[in-house]
Amino acid sequence: MLFNLTKSIVKKINFIFEHRSVRPPLESTKSQQFFKFMETDRIDDGFVFPFDYTINLVDDFKDWRMSNSSIDVFVVNMNIDNIKIVDLDYLYGLQDNSSNVVLWADYSNESLFPGNFTNNNLQSINFQSERFVCTMLSLQNNADIEEPKFKKVFPVWMFATGVMEDILARTNEQHLHKIPPFTWPRKETYKKFFFPNRLGRAHRLDLLVEAHQKGLLQQCEWTFMVPSTEGYLDTYDSEHEYWKLFGTNHRGINHTEFEDDWSNPDSHFNQGGPHECFPMTVLERTMAVIISDTYNNDHPILDCSEKILKPLMYGMPVFYNGRKGVLSKLKQYGFWFPGDDYNDLDTNRTTRLIENCLEFEDVISKETTEHVANNKKLMFDRNIHYSFSKDFFDYLLDI
C-alpha cells in the first residue's frame, strides 16, 4: 500500500532538538534516526520527501533563529526529567507570537497514557499539553487520549524505523538489504522456532508456561534476559507457574560467543540498554520467530513495537503475541504472516497462537519463501515507513 508522494514541495520544516535531549542520561535519538533511515538509498524505492526539512541541534531552544518562511517544530521528548529542564515559558511565548511554531511532544517510543503524564504531574511542571501535538508508538489509534489532552495525537512508527537504522549501522547488518532472506525453499531445522524474550511481563510468562504445557517450547530455542520484574513492575506475581518450572535466572543461547553476549544481561554488549539486532546464526538454524510484544490486551491503541520489525527485516516468518488487530493492520500495508487470524480474536489469542505454531509447516515451502521475501522488501521500502507516520507530516504541511 503506497502513497503518492509526488506533490510539489511547498513547505520547509525545521525540526529543532536540544542537545541534552539526545545525550545520556536523557538520550532519545530514534526520531532523528528515522530521518537518517529515510535519507539513505538502499533499494530502488523511488522515495522522496514531499517537503524540504532540516534537523537542527541547539544547546537551548533560545539559540534557534526563527524564520518567517518555514515551519519551526520544537521537539520536546516526553520524558519527565527532560520536560522539567525545558524552558517551556519561552516556547509558549514563541507559539503565542508566531503562527509558524509547532510544539511537538515526542512520545514515539511509547503509548502508555497517562502513565507519568497525569494532569496533576504535568501541571506541577508547567507542561500545558493542549499546546502540543503528540506522537506516540502505535500503528493506529482508535481511542481518545483523555489524560493528558493534546492539541492532536498521531500514531507513528518512527521509533521502530529508528531502531532499524541503528541495526543497519552495525558492521554485520549494514548490507542486510543485499543479503537473501534467512528463509529458503525446503529449509528444515532441528528446532523450528527462535523465541526471544527480554522483560518478564505477565503475558510473556503466561505464553511460555502454556507453550511448555502444549509441547511447543521443546521446539524452540528460547531466551529470557530479565525474567523477574520484582521491585520493577507492579504486575509481578511471585506465585507464577513460570518460577516453579524455570526459576528466576536468565536463559541464554551460546552456540557462539556472540550469541552468549547477545542473550546475557550482564555482558558488555547489553550495558546501557537492550541490544537491537538478532544473531544471524540462530536464524539460520530455525524456521520462524515468535515475538512477544510489550502488551497483549484488547486496548484499541495498536501499540506495536520494533520487536516485530526485526524478524521481518532479516527475512523470517513471524508469529506474534501482542495486541488484538496488529497483524491485520500490518497486512493492509502488504505484509504476510503465517497461520489464521488468531491475532484478531477477542479471547484465547495466546492459545490459538500456540496452535498455529504447532501447525506450522515442517519444511519451508516455496510459497512461504516468496511471502517472506516480500516482507523483507517492504521493510526496506521507505514509502512504507513514511506511510506509518504520514498523518503527522500531513498535519505539519497543512499549517
Side-chain angles (χ1 to χ4, degrees), residues 163 167-168 170 172-173 176 182 194-198 221 223 253 256 258-259 262-263 269 275-284 286 288-292 306-319:
V163 168
I167 293 173
L168 295 172
R170 291 177 47 80
N172 288 344
E173 275 77 15
L176 189 59
F182 284 86
F194 176 42
F195 188 1
N197 297 274
R198 179 177 174 264
E221 290 207 42
T223 65
I253 51 176
T256 67
F258 178 68
E259 288 181 10
W262 180 89
S263 58
F269 190 59
H275 47 74
E276 302 292 5
C277 66
F278 274 166
M280 296 187 190
T281 47
V282 73
L283 301 181
E284 289 176 334
T286 54
V289 180
I290 301 172
I291 291 296
S292 228
E306 78 287 349
K307 297 174 185 65
I308 197 171
L309 170 152
K310 299 175 190 178
L312 294 171
M313 67 182 287
Y314 283 94
M316 292 286 286
V318 188
F319 291 90

Side-chain angles (χ1 to χ4, degrees), residues 104-165:
W104 174 12
D106 186 5
Y107 197 40
S108 53
N109 64 315
E110 256 290 4
S111 68
L112 187 60
F113 284 122
N116 291 328
F117 308 111
T118 62
N119 290 332
N120 287 338
N121 279 353
L122 294 183
Q123 185 176 2
S124 70
I125 57 175
N126 191 32
F127 186 86
Q128 299 174 24
S129 59
E130 67 278 3
R131 288 178 173 269
F132 287 80
V133 175
C134 179
T135 57
M136 65 179 184
L137 178 65
S138 178
L139 295 175
Q140 182 173 299
N141 177 21
N142 289 329
D144 289 332
I145 306 301
E146 297 295 339
E147 185 182 10
K149 272 293 184 185
F150 292 96
K151 179 181 291 188
K152 196 83 173 176
V153 179
F154 293 99
V156 298
W157 220 33
M158 296 172 72
F159 180 85
T161 304
V163 168
M164 186 169 174
E165 176 60 31

Side-chain angles (χ1 to χ4, degrees), residues 228-291:
S228 175
T229 59
E230 185 175 9
Y232 178 65
L233 294 180
D234 57 13
T235 55
Y236 172 75
D237 178 5
S238 62
E239 301 299 319
H240 200 284
E241 182 68 16
Y242 179 92
W243 317 124
K244 302 171 188 175
L245 292 171
F246 305 112
T248 59
N249 291 335
H250 90 276
R251 183 184 181 93
I253 51 176
N254 55 11
H255 285 223
T256 67
E257 182 179 355
F258 178 68
E259 288 181 10
D260 186 46
D261 286 342
W262 180 89
S263 58
N264 189 333
D266 297 322
S267 78
H268 66 89
F269 190 59
N270 289 310
Q271 298 307 303
H275 47 74
E276 302 292 5
C277 66
F278 274 166
M280 296 187 190
T281 47
V282 73
L283 301 181
E284 289 176 334
R285 64 176 187 266
T286 54
M287 294 169 58
V289 180
I290 301 172
I291 291 296

Side-chain angles (χ1 to χ4, degrees), residues 21 39 43 58 94 98 103 156 169 192 214 292 345 370-371 375:
S21 70
E39 292 167 355
I43 67 171
V58 295
L94 290 181
S98 303
L103 305 185
V156 298
K192 288 179 73 171
K214 294 193 162 133
S292 228
L345 296 175
E370 292 171 349
H371 284 311
N375 282 350

